[in-house]
Amino acid sequence: MTLFSKFSPKRFRLLWYFVGTFIVLSTIIRLVFTFWMLPEVDTSFFKIGNTLLIGFLFDIGTVSFFAIPYALYLLVFPKKWYGSLFDRIITWFAYTLGLVIFLFSFFAEITFWEEFKNRFNFIAVDYLIYTYEVVKNINESYPIPLLVGGILLLTAFLLFMTKRKGIFQKTFHNETTFRQKLLPTAFFIAIAAIFALFVKNKDAEQFENRYNNEIAKTGIYSFFAAFQNNELSFTDFYKTIPVKDAFAEVNSEFRKRGDSLLFPEKELIYRNISNIDSLPEQKPNVIFICVESLSAKFLGSFGNTENITPTLDSLANHSLFFNNLFANGTRTVRGMEAITLSIPPTPGRSIVKRENNQHLFTIGEVFKQKGYTRNFFYGGDGYFDNMNSFFGGNGFNIVDRGRGFLMDASITTTRTNIEDEEVTFENAWGIADEDIYNKVIKVADEAHNAGKPFFDFVMTTSNHRPYTYPEGKIDISSGSGRSGAVKYTDYAIGEFLRKVKQKEWYKNTVIIIMADHCASSAGRQELDVKNYHIPGLMLNLPNILPEKVDKMASQIDIFPTLFSLLNWNYNTNLYGTDVLKMKPEEERAFVGTYRKLGLLKGDDKVMVLGDQKISNYYQWNRESNELIPLKENEAFLKEIISNYQTADYLFSNGGLKLKSLGLED
């Protein structure tokens, strides 16, 4: 008996055919992604060969998990009943179900890759929770009947080919003994055990080129790895220094800026910021517009020639315009985390989506100290991405398009629904930007009439796939692509400003516009720095002339800058600082993914911390967007570790809680 026949007795022919089919289909997907990103992938013979080889090994490991249940069934099923009706039903059903699962996952991977240029990750896991938005978005973005029909047609074709090759016949009619079935069963169990115990998804990442790393992975395996590990312990996975040294490093920087630590003996950053010029405090209303996926590259101010942002390009010359500003992360919840908590991005899930994320010190607490009401506006249901729980649990009133999802009973806040008659257009993610702005104006009118200063955090949704919006507003058809969505987003901002300028309260209202993140953050580099570049501007600031700010900063700095411009004395637990007062050596931006944590300095030096206790130091070339390796800088390394380690420590140990700072909830 040959070695092949020992591992593949006739009773196991269908199972091996199933394994082979998965490997072939997975390889095809891998090649599709390779050609898709051909200009970016490292296609040298050695690198592409290793990419495919690693992918092949991960395919074997992945399919082994699926093979075990049927292998065990084959092992224990008595020989005298081979080919019985029960045996045929179980076999046909299991094989068909396996094919459907694989084909569905491959189709899903293609759509996921189109959006994120990644294999499945924690984003895909999150999408399982928010099925309404995701399913509706898919339905509005892709021809679902065609896709489902394609999956069913391919399944039928594969079933036909399997039957035609006589695979079922060999599986049902044979004399394979129990002993002969032990070896192949043990093989699949051993492979699955090796992968479960010793192989991590990140073991596929053997290349400097990020796309090679992603292509080497297997989508299903990546999905379950993300499901298992969507939170990362900083102390377990990243380089660290003694906690006291980390806080000493961070707090020394705050002292240099003139901040006074309120609890210098504790592992905290809580401090006082004083208005050294003794100018009177200004307390205008503040409307912050967080624009979905607005990359800097969309604006004519940054070289775009499509003329899709005429409003924002005009505002660039009539505002405090930050042209060297970077998003802290790659998703909306990361932007919200950075803006509200003013904190470097912690590894794993955003704090917005974690447990125990209520009663924290946010920018809302600073506004509360100054007597403001605080409102969070969202055009969809704020249940999505845990937004309502986060904002409501941190003192904001909620205005959203509720669909019946109730907030936690422990959260004491006011929730206002956006009613049907207030909506002119709606897609999977929420109402059109014009509609949410109209609601903002309505609530602002009410607050003004009540004599209350207000801070509004407004999250837009129109610049998102499926890129649909009301027809007739701009000269690009709805649903035609990103450029149209950007142009409509810009148009809606223009209409909002036109309306608010007619309001009595406008003369005492600051409007801030900034992106939550870029439209795409993926690239072949460890961190694609250029894809973190976002626009940000402040309008109607009291006694402040328009200016283009070249200093490097990130989202965490925007509100500390505003507080400084308003001459506020306040206590703070925020990492951000006044951009305008930054010295050249202080300019920096925190940029990161859920695994890679980066610090970009004003001279375009970049340090990146990885989750295998590694760090890499680079020179960023703005023109080519290349990261050029440098010899590690110990002082820079200590700076980045200190900031990220203390941020993680504060959240994990209650240092962001109002109670820990002696403040009442």
Side-chain angles (χ1 to χ4, degrees), residues 291-521:
V291 185
E292 172 67 41
S293 303
L294 187 67
S295 305
K297 65 182 179 182
F298 295 145
L299 275 65
S301 305
F302 295 107
N304 190 292
T305 59
E306 294 180 89
N307 191 33
I308 54 177
T309 57
T311 299
L312 291 172
D313 291 330
S314 174
L315 294 176
N317 298 315
H318 299 89
S319 65
L320 201 61
F321 185 75
F322 299 87
N323 56 24
N324 200 12
L325 184 67
F326 292 82
N328 288 89
T330 61
R331 294 196 66 209
T332 297
V333 286
R334 277 298 185 195
M336 290 176 171
E337 173 189 272
I339 296 160
T340 56
L341 294 171
S342 185
I343 191 172
T346 51
R349 296 178 114 192
S350 165
I351 290 174
V352 174
K353 302 197 65 176
R354 294 199 201 179
E355 295 180 357
N356 202 28
N357 66 356
Q358 299 170 8
H359 311 293
L360 306 180
F361 189 101
T362 70
I363 56 172
E365 183 63 23
V366 180
F367 280 105
K368 178 186 176 183
Q369 292 172 12
K370 301 301 179 182
Y372 285 69
T373 60
R374 299 154 292 167
N375 305 302
F376 171 66
F377 292 80
Y378 180 60
D381 192 320
Y383 166 79
F384 181 76
D385 267 350
N386 204 47
M387 289 185 282
N388 279 355
S389 291
F390 176 75
F391 281 94
N394 287 296
F396 285 77
N397 299 317
I398 305 297
V399 183
D400 73 333
R401 183 76 164 138
R403 289 192 310 275
F405 291 105
L406 301 177
M407 294 179 62
D408 192 300
S410 65
I411 299 174
T412 55
T413 189
T414 300
R415 186 181 186 186
T416 303
N417 194 50
I418 301 171
E419 304 296 344
D420 291 346
E421 57 268 22
E422 298 176 290
V423 177
T424 63
F425 182 90
E426 190 169 13
N427 66 15
W429 297 108
I431 62 178
D433 286 358
E434 288 175 277
D435 293 335
I436 193 70
Y437 293 145
N438 287 336
K439 188 67 173 179
V440 170
I441 293 171
K442 182 177 179 180
V443 174
D445 285 342
E446 295 169 355
H448 175 68
N449 292 335
K452 297 179 180 178
F454 56 83
F455 166 51
D456 292 342
F457 188 120
V458 186
M459 185 68 232
T460 73
T461 59
S462 290
N463 187 26
H464 195 295
R465 187 180 297 277
Y467 313 128
T468 54
Y469 41 84
E471 289 284 8
K473 303 292 185 175
I474 60 171
D475 57 0
I476 302 176
S477 296
S478 172
S480 59
R482 174 75 73 177
S483 293
V486 171
K487 191 162 189 176
Y488 172 73
T489 295
D490 180 85
Y491 164 84
I493 291 172
E495 286 298 295
F496 170 68
L497 293 175
R498 181 182 63 79
K499 292 176 181 178
V500 298
K501 286 177 181 178
Q502 300 171 16
K503 297 292 182 178
E504 184 181 349
W505 47 262
Y506 175 73
K507 63 180 180 293
N508 188 41
T509 300
V510 174
I511 297 176
I512 304 173
I513 302 172
M514 182 171 63
D516 59 349
H517 57 84
C518 284
S520 174
S521 60

Side-chain angles (χ1 to χ4, degrees), residues 82-110:
Y82 290 178
S84 63
L85 179 61
F86 178 83
D87 188 29
R88 291 174 183 271
I89 290 174
I90 291 294
T91 297
W92 274 85
F93 175 78
Y95 184 59
T96 303
L97 179 62
L99 292 178
V100 169
I101 290 173
F102 290 160
L103 290 171
F104 175 82
S105 72
F106 292 143
F107 274 84
E109 272 203 88
I110 291 172

Side-chain angles (χ1 to χ4, degrees), residues 24 49 108 146-147 154 168 200 204 206 271 301 347 367 403 435 438 480 515 552 574 593 610 618 630:
V24 169
L146 189 62
L147 291 176
L154 279 173
F168 286 110
K200 305 299 182 185
Q206 301 295 321
R271 59 203 191 279
S301 305
F367 280 105
R403 289 192 310 275
D435 293 335
N438 287 336
S480 59
M552 177 184 289
L574 312 176
T593 67
Y618 303 100
L630 298 173

Side-chain angles (χ1 to χ4, degrees), residues 4-24:
F4 175 77
S5 61
K6 288 182 179 179
F7 275 92
S8 181
K10 288 185 177 181
R11 181 64 173 158
F12 276 70
R13 288 298 168 84
L14 180 64
L15 181 55
W16 279 107
Y17 192 78
F18 176 77
V19 169
T21 300
F22 172 80
I23 292 173
V24 169

Side-chain angles (χ1 to χ4, degrees), residues 42-153:
D42 189 335
T43 55
S44 62
F45 179 79
F46 178 77
K47 293 290 178 64
I48 199 65
N50 273 351
T51 301
L52 296 176
L53 176 60
I54 292 171
F56 172 74
L57 295 175
F58 268 85
D59 286 347
I60 292 176
T62 301
V63 77
S64 294
F65 288 100
F66 287 88
I68 286 175
Y70 188 59
L72 291 173
Y73 165 80
L74 294 175
L75 177 67
V76 301
F77 197 78
K79 183 171 68 173
K80 63 181 178 179
W81 290 337
Y82 290 178
S84 63
L85 179 61
F86 178 83
D87 188 29
R88 291 174 183 271
I89 290 174
I90 291 294
T91 297
W92 274 85
F93 175 78
Y95 184 59
T96 303
L97 179 62
L99 292 178
V100 169
I101 290 173
F102 290 160
L103 290 171
F104 175 82
S105 72
F106 292 143
F107 274 84
E109 272 203 88
I110 291 172
T111 60
F112 193 82
W113 186 275
E114 182 182 12
E115 183 77 12
F116 300 104
K117 300 301 184 291
N118 263 340
R119 292 287 193 165
F120 289 142
N121 55 25
F122 77 104
I123 299 174
V125 175
D126 285 349
Y127 277 5
L128 279 181
I129 302 172
Y130 307 108
T131 52
Y132 176 86
E133 289 85 355
V134 174
V135 171
K136 192 174 181 185
N137 178 47
I138 292 172
N139 190 46
E140 293 175 355
S141 303
Y142 302 99
I144 296 300
L146 189 62
L147 291 176
V148 173
I151 291 173
L152 295 178
L153 190 63

